[in-house]
Amino acid sequence: DDENTRSARQIMADLYAVGNTTKAITKGIAIASAVIAAVSLFASFITDVGRVQVSLGLPVLDSIRVSSTDVFIGLLLGGALPWLFSSLSIRAVSRAAGEIVQEVRRQFRIPGVMEGTKTPDYARVVSISTSSAQKELIPLAVIAVITPLLVGMILGVEALGGFLAGVILSGQLLAVFMANAGGAWDNAKKAIEDEPRSLAENTGKGSERHKAGVVGDTVGDPLKDTA
């Protein structure tokens, strides 16, 4: 029975690793399609702006000058926005995880839970995760709506074009990095756990390599699954 259990666990671990790799590949495809869509929308932005400028009797915007100070500021703001989004989402995961840990500790102190004679309140933990996810989306949505409006009204329509270009460039690079690095860190921990356990050779569970892998996985999960 022990042998069958170990075999089943190994099969599940292998499938988990394959799933991580598959997920990274599919996210890469999703990122590529999103970038194509964003570039198409960027082209339509230039076209629509030109039509409005013609109707107002203004010079038509047919290109974006990166050498212009306002445009370059917009480009920098757009390039920084995906990093702000990512940091906020990762901090949201950290806060939600902290709340769940506190709830689990509270329930462990309830008599009978640790002994298995009393059923824990699973719904409470699920509720914390769900409500946290919904609340943390609010500032991200506000930023997504307000930032382009502010850039366009304060710096002008050409700077807004630079802002959008910066978002596309920085966002797609960051997305590919997070999807692949997160999956790699997750699978690295799995690979270390598959090694024969030997503290002398620093291999397997309990080794310093495994501890480092756990830290990497803790960072990699929110990278690939959230940000």
Side-chain angles (χ1 to χ4, degrees):
D1 289 342
D2 290 343
E3 183 63 32
N4 290 335
T5 301
R6 283 194 295 270
S7 176
R9 286 178 178 172
Q10 185 60 48
I11 291 172
M12 292 300 296
D14 293 342
L15 287 173
Y16 187 89
V18 172
N20 278 335
T21 306
T22 306
K23 183 160 55 175
I25 294 170
T26 54
K27 284 184 178 179
I29 296 171
I31 291 164
S33 63
V35 171
I36 293 171
V39 171
S40 301
L41 290 170
F42 182 76
S44 68
F45 166 79
I46 300 296
T47 303
D48 291 343
V49 165
R51 288 175 178 172
V52 173
Q53 289 172 329
V54 168
S55 66
L56 295 176
L58 299 173
V60 177
L61 177 69
D62 57 359
S63 62
I64 295 175
R65 301 163 299 155
V66 181
S67 58
S68 171
T69 303
D70 289 346
V71 175
F72 196 76
I73 292 173
L75 189 70
L76 291 176
L77 291 174
L81 195 62
W83 297 85
L84 175 62
F85 262 68
S86 302
S87 64
L88 289 175
S89 60
I90 292 171
R91 287 179 64 186
V93 170
S94 178
R95 281 194 293 270
E99 290 180 22
I100 290 175
V101 167
Q102 293 301 321
E103 176 62 21
V104 170
R105 287 175 175 169
R106 184 190 70 81
Q107 293 197 28
F108 277 167
R109 289 193 289 269
I110 298 174
V113 170
M114 289 295 288
E115 293 77 14
T117 58
K118 183 178 177 60
T119 303
D121 186 2
Y122 300 115
R124 172 61 183 156
V125 177
V126 174
S127 175
I128 291 173
S129 177
T130 305
S131 61
S132 175
Q134 293 171 340
K135 285 189 297 184
E136 299 292 353
L137 283 174
I138 294 173
L140 297 179
V142 171
I143 291 171
V145 173
I146 296 298
T147 312
L149 292 175
L150 291 178
V151 172
M153 289 189 292
I154 296 173
L155 298 177
V157 68
E158 192 177 1
L160 179 56
F163 173 86
L164 297 176
V167 168
I168 295 171
L169 178 61
S170 177
Q172 67 95 8
L173 291 173
L174 191 59
V176 172
F177 159 70
M178 286 181 164
N180 286 281
W185 284 333
D186 199 341
N187 283 350
K189 188 191 77 163
K190 289 286 181 294
I192 294 170
E193 289 174 350
D194 288 343
E195 298 171 342
R197 182 173 181 179
S198 173
L199 297 182
E201 297 178 5
N202 196 23
T203 58
K205 282 189 175 182
S207 64
E208 292 300 317
R209 292 177 69 230
H210 183 247
K211 294 176 184 176
V214 170
V215 173
D217 182 35
T218 304
V219 179
D221 268 335
L223 284 184
K224 68 184 175 64
D225 293 332
T226 305

